Amino acid sequence: MRRVGVDSEFGELRSVIMRYAGPVTLDLSGSLDPVLARQRETSCWRTYSPGRVRAQQAHFIDLLRRRGVEVLFADQAPASYGQHYTRDIGFVIDDAFVVSRLNSRRRQAEFAGARHLAERIERVAYLDAGTIEGGDVMLHDRLVLVGLSEETSPAGVDALRYQLTRLGLDRTIRPIEFACGGIVHLDDHFNIVAPQVALVNPGVFGDAQMRWFAAHFDLIPVTGAEAAAVEVNALALAPGVVVVAERSERIAAQLDARGIEVIPLDYSEVTRIPGAFRCSTLPLVRASTVVPSPGGQQFECGLGDAAAVDLDMQPSGAGTKLAARR
């Protein structure tokens, strides 16, 4: 069985689930459901080319592999336009994989593509109520921050709290509220990118929430335009190493001034709907940032006790099968 382990947003990345963009795109030409209509007020939703998205993903995947990250692929789920944003279908808290409850009916089939991977994980939790998506979940010290966006409900937060208790995980959930509607996910407007460093869009949070952020992080404010362009959705590859959008020059300068290595990458086609580097990766393993007690466990690799794996990419780029050698 496969062991997973994530205890921070910035421990050295070891293993992720990804998925190349499929052939289905979201039709934005006609009438929109109320949730999507609200989300268009805070985020950009534009038609994209699946081929160009896959090409940009391939460059990102090459970067990850060159840094020693294991990249596993979900299978294609039927009629899915957003499956390449794998972050939303689940998330790892410490040594447990939590399966999300997706809000949009258009996306609820996406987990089926990753089921063959999840079934090999030692500790898996399924939520029994509400909705919650991985883009709303972040780890900070012993807290689990959960954004109450359009996609995550208070009932979903309660269901997660119950599962953390059942699993014996010493974590406290802190809901993050927004000052406006139309928020797709927390990580489009707030993102922990390095130890004690976070990007934040002050325009969507109330004063009390901003004071809490300021008390816990060295904040780098972003503009509403930068947030709408999904520039907050960077990804930490290790403490002090962050992948950002190529166009995010101002944000990159702020990170560089804090001694953080910045890796710019063109993801402009991927971000034509809300999602960038964080959204398109589902970390299974990061190196632990917690000093273990004597005899305690650290997360060092993605395979755990599992057999070695072959990743045989299909020629079409549509996905990769996981085959174990025993």
Side-chain angles (χ1 to χ4, degrees):
M1 296 294 284
R2 175 177 289 267
R3 294 175 181 171
V4 297
V6 175
D7 61 21
S8 76
E9 297 297 318
F10 46 76
E12 184 178 6
L13 189 61
R14 301 287 176 79
S15 180
V16 297
I17 297 176
M18 296 186 69
R19 169 70 211 170
Y20 279 104
V24 178
T25 60
L26 183 63
D27 183 9
L28 299 172
S29 61
S31 60
L32 304 175
D33 65 68
V35 172
L36 184 54
R38 288 195 300 273
Q39 290 178 352
R40 294 190 78 175
E41 297 177 4
T42 60
S43 304
C44 293
W45 292 81
R46 295 168 292 171
T47 302
Y48 63 87
S49 161
R52 287 196 290 271
V53 169
R54 287 193 290 268
Q56 291 179 352
Q57 287 182 289
H59 288 300
F60 182 31
I61 290 166
D62 180 63
L63 168 67
L64 293 175
R65 285 175 165 163
R66 283 188 282 110
R67 296 188 65 94
V69 179
E70 175 192 44
V71 181
L72 305 175
F73 287 86
D75 292 333
Q76 177 66 52
S80 170
Y81 75 88
Q83 196 186 357
H84 52 292
Y85 301 117
T86 53
R87 175 75 62 157
D88 297 331
I89 64 174
F91 46 92
V92 174
I93 299 177
D94 296 331
D95 65 347
F97 183 90
V98 181
V99 179
S100 299
R101 286 173 63 95
L102 298 175
N103 180 49
S104 172
R105 282 178 294 178
R106 288 189 291 255
R107 299 194 64 189
Q108 287 173 357
E110 291 179 17
F111 177 71
R115 189 179 301 277
H116 68 291
L117 298 172
E119 287 175 346
R120 295 187 60 201
I121 294 174
E122 285 187 353
R123 298 231 292 171
V124 179
Y126 294 83
L127 307 180
D128 60 5
T131 60
I132 192 166
E133 301 188 358
D136 281 318
V137 179
M138 294 183 193
L139 304 181
H140 173 63
D141 293 337
R142 300 311 300 167
L143 299 177
V144 180
L145 310 184
V146 182
L148 294 175
S149 70
E150 297 276 353
E151 311 298 346
T152 292
S153 67
V157 174
D158 289 341
L160 176 60
R161 185 179 289 111
Y162 170 80
Q163 288 297 331
L164 295 184
T165 301
R166 184 185 68 83
L167 292 166
L169 298 180
D170 181 23
R171 293 275 184 174
T172 299
I173 292 180
R174 191 188 196 287
I176 303 296
E177 297 185 352
F178 299 93
C180 61
I183 302 299
V184 180
H185 290 123
L186 175 64
D187 63 7
D188 291 326
H189 300 276
F190 174 82
N191 192 6
I192 303 167
V193 293
Q196 309 304 320
V197 178
L199 308 177
V200 65
N201 173 18
V204 301
F205 298 105
D207 291 342
Q209 185 59 66
M210 285 300 301
R211 285 194 297 270
W212 189 90
F213 284 149
H216 290 80
F217 300 97
D218 174 12
L219 296 176
I220 299 175
V222 304
T223 66
E226 288 169 333
V230 210
E231 295 183 37
V232 174
N233 204 254
L235 181 71
L237 301 185
V241 182
V242 181
V243 181
V244 303
E246 192 174 57
R247 61 174 173 253
S248 301
E249 295 181 1
R250 191 194 66 82
I251 293 172
Q254 289 288 315
L255 293 169
D256 182 71
R258 289 163 171 80
I260 297 170
E261 178 187 351
V262 177
I263 303 175
L265 205 63
D266 181 15
Y267 231 39
S268 56
E269 195 70 19
V270 181
T271 58
R272 290 182 70 85
I273 63 176
F277 303 105
R278 189 178 193 274
C279 284
S280 61
T281 52
L282 196 175
L284 294 181
V285 178
R286 287 183 178 273
S288 179
T289 60
V290 176
V291 178
S293 59
Q297 177 185 358
Q298 280 190 297
F299 311 125
E300 291 299 336
C301 68
L303 294 176
D305 292 333
V309 297
D310 285 329
L311 295 177
D312 179 23
M313 187 171 295
Q314 298 173 10
S316 65
T320 299
K321 299 291 186 184
L322 185 75
R325 295 197 306 269
R326 298 197 179 275

